[in-house]
Amino acid sequence: MIESWRWYGPFDRISLPEIAQTGATGIVTALHEIPYGEVWPRETIASRNTEITSAGFDWVVVESLPVHEKIKRGEGDLAGFFANYRQSMANLAAEGVTTICYNFMPLLDWTRTDLTAPVARGGSCLRFEAAKMAAFELYMLGRAEAEADYSAEALQKAAIWHQQATEEDKQGLLHAIMSGLPGAYDRYDIAGLKQALRGYDGLTQDDLRQNYKVFLQEIVPAAEELGIKLCVHPDDPPRDILGLPRIVSDEEDISFILSAVDSPANGLTFCTGSLGANPVNDLPRMARRFADRVHFAHLRNVRKDPDGSFEEAAHLEGDTDMPAVIAALLDENRKSGRAIPFRPDHGHELLEDAAKGTHPGYPLVGRLRGLAELRGVIAGIRHVNGWNRA
């Protein structure tokens, strides 16, 4: 497996020389400054790649080459967007970058209600609090139908939270939820979010699945020709929110996607955090089942609550059997001879992390702790099984 690190390029407060000290050899990044739907110019890709390789790294995964929201909605003439996506892939392949992570989540890339939830022995983590999310949907957005999406316990807590919340609390919640917006980091106020959501009115899970299948039919053949490995990222969280459907949340969803266009180029980013937040998912079993189509792995852990809440746990704590998942991926490495890039996904803010002001979930010390722990698990599994490095 290839140890890698997510880097936000010019937007990142962690430098490549700092990343070098973590021991990671691969960089996971994207051209975040380019608007969705536009072609990634080859010269811009080449410049970013030179910056990465000059610092002693390989650009091992693009995360992400975004899918335009009109494709997700199936809206209008999409030929130009598909053509631009294929051209961006061709430009990446021409520069030797051939693994592309992307997602098919409507509007938001990920959603949390707390960016600095306290951790028992110090530090902070990302948290999704079902009651706060229910309060946001019901009382701040005024989406009455959201009541059907939450447990009675969460709804009761939501009413109490809303009654006691200050204006500062409400703005903090809006900020946390908006932190999952992709692209150039634009953020909505409540009125703006309501307007954005109207564009998805009436979009069902079946609609989104069909739109996704069309995307795969348009893009995967080009990926095959280019030697590109596409790997979809699961929904985060793996549940419908804000009235937006989710279709990459469990084993059945993934099976549908991989069979919709049955090709090695149509693969999966195995995110143990996103998939682990869904209580129905058996991650070791899923890792074994889909291992030959896993082209990239996000390794992190979560701790779930009965009401649907969850928070980021330390990488070897939480509800997911991380060694069992890693063992399945290492076994695939051994059998296939290919090395799967992975990165320590998210991490607690520890020590001086809070003062650095990095992207939420992407601190230096917290991810370094995670990488060190994962590195130890990998070394132990290889030693016990007598497997060579791959």
Side-chain angles (χ1 to χ4, degrees):
M1 296 177 74
I2 300 171
E3 295 182 3
S4 59
W5 190 274
R6 188 170 192 181
W7 179 59
Y8 283 90
F11 298 103
D12 208 319
R13 297 194 177 185
I14 300 173
S15 67
L16 289 173
E18 288 176 307
I19 296 171
Q21 296 180 54
T22 70
T25 58
I27 290 295
V28 175
T29 194
L31 303 182
H32 298 285
E33 64 273 22
I34 296 179
Y36 280 26
E38 294 187 9
V39 172
W40 286 15
R42 181 172 176 180
E43 56 272 21
T44 308
I45 295 167
S47 177
R48 185 64 51 83
N49 204 10
T50 297
E51 184 179 5
I52 290 167
T53 55
S54 297
F57 298 97
D58 294 319
W59 186 355
V60 292
V61 180
V62 172
E63 187 177 354
S64 297
L65 181 59
V67 179
H68 197 278
E69 294 300 309
K70 286 189 176 181
I71 294 176
K72 298 175 189 177
R73 294 194 295 261
E75 177 184 310
D77 183 2
L78 301 175
F81 290 116
F82 290 134
N84 286 356
Y85 204 95
R86 289 189 289 263
Q87 186 60 56
S88 293
M89 290 198 307
N91 292 345
L92 284 162
E95 295 301 322
V97 185
T98 57
T99 302
I100 297 175
C101 173
Y102 69 99
N103 76 71
F104 217 78
M105 287 179 271
L107 192 61
L108 297 174
D109 271 8
W110 54 270
T111 305
R112 299 292 186 273
T113 59
D114 298 271
L115 303 181
T116 55
V119 175
R121 299 187 66 184
S124 64
C125 69
L126 302 181
R127 179 171 173 82
F128 178 88
E129 184 74 38
K132 284 188 178 181
M133 194 69 205
F136 181 80
E137 295 204 50
L138 288 167
Y139 303 113
M140 294 175 66
L141 279 183
R143 203 176 77 82
E145 56 270 33
E147 189 168 315
D149 297 337
Y150 296 91
S151 68
E153 178 186 359
L155 292 172
Q156 183 178 27
K157 290 179 179 177
I160 295 171
W161 184 89
H162 177 71
Q163 184 179 29
Q164 297 177 347
T166 64
E167 186 58 32
E168 183 179 1
D169 293 333
K170 295 174 185 177
Q171 288 304 309
L173 178 57
L174 175 63
H175 170 72
I177 293 170
M178 289 301 97
S179 293
L181 277 169
Y185 314 113
D186 291 334
R187 299 292 178 257
Y188 295 119
D189 57 14
I190 292 294
L193 180 57
K194 286 181 177 180
Q195 180 62 37
L197 289 170
R198 288 190 191 105
Y200 301 86
D201 282 349
L203 184 73
T204 67
Q205 285 188 325
D206 286 342
D207 294 333
L208 190 60
R209 267 193 170 186
Q210 182 57 37
N211 296 342
Y212 188 14
K213 186 172 182 178
V214 170
F215 168 78
L216 293 173
Q217 291 169 336
E218 289 279 348
I219 300 302
V220 172
E224 291 175 337
E225 293 178 8
L226 294 165
I228 291 280
K229 293 174 289 187
L230 296 166
C231 38
V232 65
H233 189 285
D235 301 325
D236 189 8
R239 55 168 293 163
D240 295 357
I241 55 170
L242 302 175
L244 301 171
R246 296 293 177 94
I247 57 167
V248 195
S249 294
D250 58 27
E251 188 168 353
E252 179 186 350
D253 289 340
I254 293 168
S255 179
F256 170 84
I257 291 161
L258 299 184
S259 62
V261 177
D262 192 2
S263 165
N266 177 25
L268 172 66
T269 295
F270 199 88
C271 179
T272 55
S274 298
L275 294 171
N278 188 337
V280 308
N281 287 336
D282 180 337
L283 268 64
R285 184 186 69 202
M286 293 170 69
R288 292 190 297 269
R289 177 179 177 185
F290 300 122
D292 65 333
R293 300 285 280 274
V294 173
H295 300 319
F296 183 34
H298 290 178
L299 301 181
R300 62 181 170 91
N301 222 319
V302 294
R303 183 178 293 107
K304 299 184 289 293
D305 296 331
D307 69 351
S309 303
F310 64 89
E311 67 183 24
E312 313 278 5
H315 285 73
L316 301 186
E317 299 174 10
D319 300 334
T320 295
D321 185 347
M322 189 67 71
V325 171
I326 291 173
L329 300 179
L330 283 172
D331 194 36
E332 171 62 22
N333 280 190
R334 180 183 62 85
K335 291 186 297 186
S336 67
R338 64 188 181 95
I340 298 173
F342 78 94
R343 63 175 179 82
D345 194 17
H346 298 181
H348 292 172
E349 279 196 340
L350 304 174
L351 303 172
E352 66 267 23
D353 279 337
K356 203 167 181 75
T358 57
H359 289 75
Y362 291 94
L364 177 59
V365 178
R367 279 189 291 165
L368 177 55
R369 174 187 170 181
L371 178 58
E373 292 176 343
L374 297 169
R375 183 181 291 150
V377 170
I378 291 168
I381 292 172
R382 285 182 173 142
H383 176 75
V384 168
N385 288 282
W387 294 341
N388 294 326
R389 290 186 172 274

